[in-house]
Amino acid sequence: MMFVDGENFAIRGQTFVAESGANLPKRLFKPGVFLWVPGLVPEIMSLYLLDSDVRFPRKAERSFYYTSVVADDRGVLAVRLTLRRNGFTPMVFKKIRKDQKAKGVDIALTKDMLMEAVRDHYDIAVLLAGDGDYVPVVDEIQRLGKQVIVAFWDGDWVSEELRWRADHFVDLTDGLKTALNNCREKGWTD
């Protein structure tokens, strides 16, 4: 199963989007809310993780995307539907203010990741996150005999402890930059 801290993923990844000059379709990018890689289907990401050396035995059973948005109920539903169309099980939380940190994202992701492991619904968890707050859940999941792959942007955006505690770390930076350049060159939009 794949668990995406989408809020963090989008906030950190939008730097690459801006630098690339790509005009991503609205179904793939909403600044500060969600970002996904052009041409990448979530359920098969675990088969190749953007051409990394980490290989998995089968596609992801389910891919969860956790994020938050400042919006009314219709706006929250619109984000959920967009993420669903991108192949995710969306977990979208409503924020009151843009500058507010939505703790619900981290808590829900941690709870779901742990509960799915306890229920033995996966052997390998792919966590797209860089926050060191996830270290305790990674440790607990490994104690249950599961593997945890952490994938995120390299550099200061990923906790060193999270990186070395995971069974594998995959740097998504080059893969996203390549996908964005291809998107820009093709003039790909909605």
Side-chain angles (χ1 to χ4, degrees):
M1 287 186 171
M2 184 167 58
F3 302 86
V4 182
D5 181 343
E7 191 173 56
N8 201 356
F9 192 73
I11 290 168
R12 302 299 182 211
Q14 66 193 22
T15 302
F16 301 120
V17 173
E19 288 172 359
S20 75
N23 186 14
L24 281 180
K26 291 177 186 171
R27 67 180 181 80
L28 294 177
F29 181 54
K30 182 174 178 68
V33 179
F34 65 83
L35 167 66
W36 194 240
V37 181
L40 186 62
V41 179
E43 70 179 14
I44 65 167
M45 181 177 183
S46 62
L47 295 176
Y48 54 88
L49 274 173
L50 299 177
D51 296 325
S52 76
D53 292 332
V54 181
R55 297 283 187 250
F56 302 98
R58 60 183 183 271
K59 68 181 187 172
E61 292 295 323
R62 187 168 300 266
S63 298
F64 296 93
Y65 201 104
Y66 300 80
T67 194
S68 64
V69 63
V70 176
D72 59 13
D73 290 343
R74 288 179 63 154
V76 171
L77 179 60
V79 171
R80 285 183 181 140
L81 291 173
T82 299
L83 290 170
R84 171 65 74 192
R85 286 186 198 111
N86 282 321
F88 291 101
T89 298
M91 307 301 281
V92 182
F93 299 87
K94 187 191 295 191
K95 285 195 297 190
I96 306 301
R97 297 182 329 270
K98 191 174 187 172
D99 62 342
Q100 176 186 16
K101 172 71 173 136
K103 268 319 233 188
V105 169
D106 296 355
I107 293 167
L109 188 154
T110 298
K111 174 194 67 84
D112 291 349
M113 197 172 171
L114 189 56
M115 290 307 299
E116 296 296 337
V118 167
R119 292 177 181 137
D120 204 26
H121 287 171
Y122 65 80
D123 296 320
I124 301 170
V126 178
L127 173 63
L128 270 66
D131 192 336
D133 290 347
Y134 292 115
V135 168
V137 74
V138 167
D139 289 345
E140 288 304 316
I141 289 167
Q142 289 170 330
R143 277 192 263 283
L144 291 168
K146 313 294 183 187
Q147 286 189 33
V148 179
I149 311 304
V150 172
F152 205 67
W153 322 118
D154 201 11
D156 295 337
W157 291 334
V158 63
S159 155
E160 275 302 313
E161 188 173 8
L162 182 63
R163 179 194 306 256
W164 67 260
R165 284 298 225 345
D167 293 293
H168 300 282
F169 173 77
V170 178
D171 177 6
L172 299 178
T173 307
D174 290 340
L176 178 62
K177 285 180 178 179
T178 299
L180 289 171
N181 286 334
N182 290 340
C183 184
R184 187 193 73 244
E185 289 170 8
K186 294 176 184 173
W188 189 33
T189 61
D190 275 334

